[in-house]
Amino acid sequence: METMSQLVSQASDYLWNVILIILLCGTGIYYTIRLRFIQVRKFREGCRLVFGHMTMKGEKGEAGEMTPFQSVATAIAAQVGTGNLTGAATALISGGPGAIFWMWMSAFFGMATIYSEAVLAQEYKTVEHGEVTGGPVYYIRAAFKGTFGKFLAGCFAVLIVLALGFMGNMVQSNSIGAAFSEVFESRGIQVEPIWIGVILAAICAFIFLGGVDRLASVVEKLVPFMAGIYIVGSLILIGLHITALPGALKMIFVGAFNPSAVGGAALGITVREAIRFGVARGLFSNEAGMGSTPHAHARAKAKNPHEQGLAAIVSVFVDTFIVLNLTVFSILTTGAIETGKNGTALTQAAFATSFPAVGDIFVAICLRFFAFSTILGWQFFGLVNVKYLFGEKAGMVYSLLVVVFVVIGSALKLDLVWALSDFFNGLMVIPNAIALWALSGVVVRICRKYQDQKVS
């Protein structure tokens, strides 16, 4: 197992250290320039679209569509997961505080990337088996006709099923199992993480069996609740250590370009590691450019593709600049980074500094909701591609396999699970990014056509 973890980690490092940093950041910068900083110009309109349609009434769209808020809630459900609690912590340890600066940069440019993904998902969506569907496989086929388009779309479909449906969901269940095991162990109770995984898998199976309608109904209620609870708890913690906030900001900005100045030298952290882990964990958190969230945006009953693109921008902002930052500053302002812990345990240690009796429990419960919602979103994203590859009947088999992987993931070691997820996430980006570059003219045309219209 140790050898396998090292091999996967080495392959992932090769992929992430050069190829994907250039590809992801380059795509984001390119779209930011071509769309004239749309993530800044139209951010207010995007917020109005998302929060103006906010509801928890379980409304249904037509022909399998989601309401606008359901589609954004599904996207945020997938984005706000272990990347915000566990991923932020591992980035701080592996890349130093400076990694967070590069997370911010990748997220800022990623807001333009995710706008383009949502626009294309809406532009090329279709109706199959009585349901509206769409995503990268459909706009990849639109970008490249013939055999090459089929091949590239097929590659993406296989990779997203592996990256999110199986490997990614193992990360989510692994983090939940680790969080609750930490809670029980600190109180002298031994509970194997796999049993936590079994309970989680049973709940997931119930929702999967209800189809997309049940999933949409759950996430539109779960996302506002889970985000609100974590935001309030984190703000209280940071408020108790507010005097340490300027120092935390200094660590981030200095560490981005000189890791040794904030303690990185002792760990061998360089600027390259700061960038690598910042961008990698940032992608895992906000998913901009990955090709996952377009599946949710395609199903929205939007007025036009431009408006859904604006809504998608807000989802990245909520994920990275609000939820993820709360974890980062909770860790840095409390000094928990000096404890030597990593992953979920580090975030729990931060909350335990001020709330020793309940801090670890609070993080475990929040992580339970975050990771659970991500499992629901990622199962759905993979399901769209399984149906594309194998047809409607394969969907049930796939859903059952996801349940099995949720159980397996809860029992594996953290390093191996994250290495597998990083590797397959990286491969999945490539065909999606190729299509985004090929269809940039379509995105720009749609943006110019609708950007001056008043949003609904």
Side-chain angles (χ1 to χ4, degrees), residues 19 38 46 54 72 97 104 128 147 160 182 208 252 311 323 359 397 402 428 434 436 451:
I19 298 173
I38 192 166
M54 186 172 176
V72 174
W104 294 344
E128 293 184 358
T147 303
I160 192 173
E182 182 84 7
F208 295 165
I252 291 171
V323 181
V397 175
V402 171
M428 176 180 136
I434 292 173
L436 292 180
Q451 66 179 345

Side-chain angles (χ1 to χ4, degrees), residues 120-205:
L120 292 173
Q122 277 283 316
E123 180 70 7
Y124 295 107
K125 66 182 181 181
T126 185
V127 177
E128 293 184 358
H129 310 292
E131 290 187 341
V132 173
T133 189
V137 290
Y138 296 96
Y139 59 70
I140 288 172
R141 292 285 299 273
F144 304 103
K145 307 297 183 182
T147 303
F148 180 70
K150 291 180 181 178
F151 171 77
L152 201 62
C155 284
F156 175 86
V158 170
L159 289 170
I160 192 173
V161 171
L162 292 174
L164 300 189
F166 298 149
M167 306 303 171
N169 280 333
M170 285 203 300
V171 168
Q172 308 302 323
S173 63
N174 181 274
S175 297
I176 293 175
F180 278 97
S181 293
E182 182 84 7
V183 169
F184 290 125
E185 187 175 332
S186 66
R187 289 160 177 79
I189 304 171
Q190 293 296 323
V191 176
E192 291 296 327
I194 193 169
W195 293 114
I196 299 170
V198 169
I199 296 172
L200 175 65
I203 299 172
C204 290

Side-chain angles (χ1 to χ4, degrees), residues 44-313:
R44 182 180 297 179
E45 287 91 332
C47 288
R48 191 179 304 126
L49 282 164
V50 173
F51 300 113
H53 289 107
M54 186 172 176
T55 178
M56 297 185 187
K57 296 180 179 179
E59 298 175 6
K60 294 183 180 181
E62 298 176 3
E65 289 180 316
M66 294 179 180
T67 64
F69 179 70
Q70 285 175 339
S71 67
V72 174
T74 303
I76 294 177
Q79 291 165 308
V80 178
T82 57
N84 298 82
L85 278 75
T86 307
T90 57
L92 282 169
I93 295 299
S94 301
I100 305 307
F101 173 83
W102 299 109
M103 271 191 178
W104 294 344
M105 289 296 98
S106 65
F108 175 76
F109 292 116
M111 290 165 80
T113 306
I114 209 163
Y115 168 87
S116 67
E117 290 180 295
V119 165
L120 292 173
Q122 277 283 316
E123 180 70 7
Y124 295 107
K125 66 182 181 181
T126 185
V127 177
E128 293 184 358
H129 310 292
E131 290 187 341
V132 173
T133 189
V137 290
Y138 296 96
Y139 59 70
I140 288 172
R141 292 285 299 273
F144 304 103
K145 307 297 183 182
T147 303
F148 180 70
K150 291 180 181 178
F151 171 77
L152 201 62
C155 284
F156 175 86
V158 170
L159 289 170
I160 192 173
V161 171
L162 292 174
L164 300 189
F166 298 149
M167 306 303 171
N169 280 333
M170 285 203 300
V171 168
Q172 308 302 323
S173 63
N174 181 274
S175 297
I176 293 175
F180 278 97
S181 293
E182 182 84 7
V183 169
F184 290 125
E185 187 175 332
S186 66
R187 289 160 177 79
I189 304 171
Q190 293 296 323
V191 176
E192 291 296 327
I194 193 169
W195 293 114
I196 299 170
V198 169
I199 296 172
L200 175 65
I203 299 172
C204 290
F206 170 74
I207 296 175
F208 295 165
L209 290 173
V212 177
D213 287 342
R214 183 178 294 175
L215 182 147
S217 179
V218 169
V219 297
E220 72 176 351
K221 297 175 179 66
L222 184 61
V223 167
F225 172 77
M226 72 179 191
I229 292 294
Y230 187 67
I231 288 170
V232 171
S234 299
L235 288 176
I236 292 173
L237 178 65
I238 295 169
L240 293 173
H241 301 85
I242 195 68
T243 56
L245 188 58
L249 286 167
K250 181 180 178 181
M251 291 173 69
I252 291 171
F253 285 103
V254 172
F257 304 98
N258 187 13
S260 62
V262 292
L267 300 174
I269 296 172
T270 64
V271 174
R272 189 176 75 173
E273 273 75 41
I275 296 173
R276 179 255 191 270
F277 284 100
V279 174
R281 292 293 176 262
L283 170 66
F284 189 86
S285 177
N286 63 56
E287 304 184 31
M290 187 188 293
S292 53
T293 59
H295 300 92
H297 294 300
R299 292 182 71 104
K301 190 177 180 181
K303 182 179 177 181
N304 57 62
H306 169 69
E307 288 198 356
Q308 195 62 29
L310 296 182
I313 287 174

Side-chain angles (χ1 to χ4, degrees), residues 1 21 24 35 39 74 168 185 189 240 338 350 405 410 428:
M1 191 69 73
I21 288 177
L24 283 170
L35 298 172
Q39 63 268 59
T74 303
E185 187 175 332
I189 304 171
L240 293 173
E338 304 297 333
F405 273 87
S410 65
M428 176 180 136

